[in-house]
Amino acid sequence: MRTVQGDLEAALSKLFDADAVTVAAGRTDAGVHALGQVVSATGAPDRLDLDQARDAINVMCGPSIAVHFCRQAADDFSARFSARSRTYVYAICEGPILNPFLASTALYHRELLDLDVMNEAAGHLIGAHEFSSFGRIREPGATAQRNLFELSAERDGAVVRIRARANAFIQQMVRSVVGTLIQVGEGGRSPDDLPAILAAKDRAAAGPVAPPHGLCLVAVEYDEGWGVPLQP
């Protein structure tokens, strides 16, 4: 199956004339988008014009992948493990008619959601918690403890954006949180249900996993200030 990582590693291997191995800051499920992804790569030659490298990668990868910049990093830098936070935005298009230009990047929801109760519910999730009710752990024996710094829902015209920023996320965590907040916004759950959902540590306690196409990784932050936040 064709993947962004596969295309990027193929382009870098040609550019480096050696096998390139990449590590991404955030591993995205199939169908999830990324505007602010950061990738570290090994195998580069000692001398490399970074602007020319960026342009060459973009030509080889084609229009579906766009590298904004290349920088030289310290040997111990990892796009994944050196990151201090990741920010995702989930887009929901509301109203009686779906905007076809948003169909591939936003979940369609005909009725207006109640953002006040959604934000009230979101407040229960902010902070350090065990989030196993909202996702899965990829690595055996790993913890589901994460620190959610920000979770909010805002409306801009016909689009609702749910913004989530944390030190890291477990698999499908943002989409599961969004699915639960949508239930709250529809009136199917109360904001006061959220503490019990967290305490259950049971995936069945939370709402459904929202479809992947509405989710976008928009920023990754590092101590070096390398993350470039981009708006979806």
Side-chain angles (χ1 to χ4, degrees):
M1 182 179 69
R2 186 182 178 191
T3 64
V4 172
Q5 183 178 22
D7 284 4
L8 187 56
E9 288 185 346
L12 289 171
S13 295
K14 290 181 181 179
L15 182 66
F16 297 167
D17 194 25
D19 290 338
V21 178
T22 63
V23 174
R27 293 176 292 183
T28 54
D29 295 330
V32 175
H33 308 285
L35 281 173
Q37 181 71 277
V38 177
V39 176
S40 51
T42 59
D46 292 335
R47 291 188 176 184
L48 185 68
D49 185 299
L50 298 180
D51 288 339
Q52 290 182 4
R54 175 201 60 202
D55 295 343
I57 295 167
N58 285 334
V59 169
M60 287 187 282
C61 286
S64 61
I65 299 173
V67 176
H68 290 270
F69 62 82
C70 297
R71 293 183 184 175
Q72 186 172 1
D75 291 340
D76 61 351
F77 175 81
S78 166
R80 179 184 176 191
F81 295 108
S82 300
R84 293 291 174 257
S85 73
R86 290 104 169 143
T87 302
Y88 286 85
V89 169
Y90 196 96
I92 303 169
C93 183
E94 298 177 315
I97 300 173
L98 170 62
N99 183 336
F101 295 102
L102 298 177
S104 63
T105 56
L107 174 66
Y108 177 55
H109 195 278
R110 185 178 179 86
E111 304 299 330
L112 295 184
L113 295 164
D114 186 337
L115 299 196
D116 288 338
V117 293
M118 290 172 68
N119 281 313
E120 182 182 348
H124 292 292
L125 301 180
I126 294 174
H129 301 287
E130 212 273 8
F131 281 96
S132 55
S133 287
F134 292 96
R136 298 179 295 192
I137 299 296
R138 293 175 185 263
E139 298 83 6
T143 178
Q145 185 81 13
R146 298 293 187 271
N147 193 352
L148 187 59
F149 304 129
E150 176 186 357
L151 181 63
S152 62
E154 294 184 353
R155 180 177 284 113
D156 181 9
V159 178
V160 169
R161 291 184 176 90
I162 299 176
R163 184 179 183 88
R165 184 172 68 91
N167 64 328
F169 295 90
I170 61 175
Q171 187 178 22
Q172 297 185 342
M173 175 175 161
V174 180
R175 291 164 56 198
S176 298
V177 166
V178 168
T180 305
L181 292 182
I182 288 175
Q183 288 185 330
V184 173
E186 293 171 335
R189 287 184 187 260
S190 165
D192 295 333
D193 292 340
L194 273 295
I197 294 174
L198 272 175
K201 300 180 182 179
D202 181 357
R203 181 65 196 87
V209 178
H213 69 282
L215 184 61
C216 185
L217 173 64
V218 299
V220 184
E221 295 176 333
Y222 298 87
D223 288 342
E224 298 86 350
W226 283 9
V228 179
L230 299 172
Q231 294 301 315

